[in-house]
Amino acid sequence: MKKIFAANWKLFKNPQETRNFFDVFKESFNKSEPEVVFFPSAVCLESTSHSLKGSSILWGAQNVYSNNQGAFTGENSAQVIKDLGGSYILVGHSERRSIFGEQNKLFADKIENIQKLDMVPMYCIGETLQEREKNLTEKVLQTQLEEGLAKADKTKPIVIAYEPVWAIGTGKVASPEQVAQVHQWIHHWLEKNNYKQVPVLYGGSVKPDNASGLISQPGVNGFLVGGASLEVDSFLKICSV
Ligand code: PGA
């Protein structure tokens, strides 16, 4: 399976900084390298679209609503992002779950709409530290998968990102053994539920110095990178492991 390296820029960078990043990144990025996807903040999507036009580098939004238009103040439309040339949408990131209170049912509606537009949802799942300590990791992931994918089209592309909440932005990376165990469990769940060829990415404090130990684990098909994707050099290093 082709490896995917995704950059979640969260609420960082303005349009000028976005253009500057891509000017440098495009010069050093080797086309034969794996699939790379950028998720800039919503206001920077148009500059991303201009910067990446004609390149093999993919991009998308960190969040959209489940409807493509209407009276939904403050939301973003997957259709508009598609019109700009975006192909991926992040769904269910732990910050959407914990800060904005979004739930699996809404993710199911978002995923359904994104797939109808022939875009690719990247669905994030992961347990909190408390849940891991209570041995609830698999139970939590199972509910997130069952409910979030309730309306998914198994014949269309989808990507899963496993991001243990306790490893996001904390510098505490999951051990290669923990990652291998969960990724194999997720692949097994996907196969059992008739999903074919679904990449499962790892996210949570991925850095240039831990990336090669993680990518060599069975079932790890790439990364979703936050902090370390904001600098060209560190993200390029991660993409070339
Ligand atoms: P991090 O973020 O790499 O800064 O831990 C990952 C994410 O939130 O997707």
Side-chain angles (χ1 to χ4, degrees), residues 133-149:
E133 284 172 351
K134 287 189 188 155
N135 273 327
L136 292 174
T137 300
E138 288 174 6
K139 193 167 180 289
V140 168
L141 299 180
Q142 183 172 340
T143 305
Q144 291 173 338
L145 287 167
E146 280 173 2
E147 295 182 1
L149 300 182

Side-chain angles (χ1 to χ4, degrees), residues 15-105:
Q16 186 58 51
E17 289 163 343
T18 298
R19 283 189 287 272
N20 294 347
F21 180 100
F22 287 127
D23 285 347
V24 181
F25 188 86
K26 279 196 299 186
E27 273 187 16
S28 332
F29 181 70
N30 177 350
K31 281 209 180 83
S32 63
E33 273 168 338
E35 188 162 311
V36 171
V37 190
F38 284 91
F39 294 102
S41 71
V43 174
C44 296
L45 290 173
E46 199 168 358
S47 27
T48 299
S49 163
H50 284 292
S51 288
L52 296 182
K53 209 176 194 123
S55 90
S56 62
I57 300 165
L58 303 174
W59 61 273
Q62 295 168 17
N63 179 44
V64 291
Y65 191 52
S66 47
N67 286 53
N68 293 316
Q69 62 175 8
F72 306 108
T73 303
E75 285 297 334
N76 285 297
S77 160
Q79 177 67 64
V80 172
I81 288 150
K82 181 176 173 170
D83 293 346
L84 284 172
S87 49
Y88 273 87
I89 310 278
L90 273 188
V91 178
H93 188 278
S94 83
E95 287 147 20
R96 300 301 315 170
R97 295 175 187 268
S98 65
I99 304 172
F100 302 102
E102 292 189 7
Q103 295 183 356
N104 294 331
K105 195 188 162 309

Side-chain angles (χ1 to χ4, degrees), residues 109-129:
D109 291 340
K110 293 185 183 195
I111 288 171
E112 183 185 31
N113 181 54
I114 292 163
Q115 286 188 315
K116 274 193 186 146
L117 291 169
D118 289 321
M119 300 177 83
V120 185
M122 188 177 285
Y123 180 48
C124 305
I125 57 173
E127 81 287 359
T128 62
L129 186 57

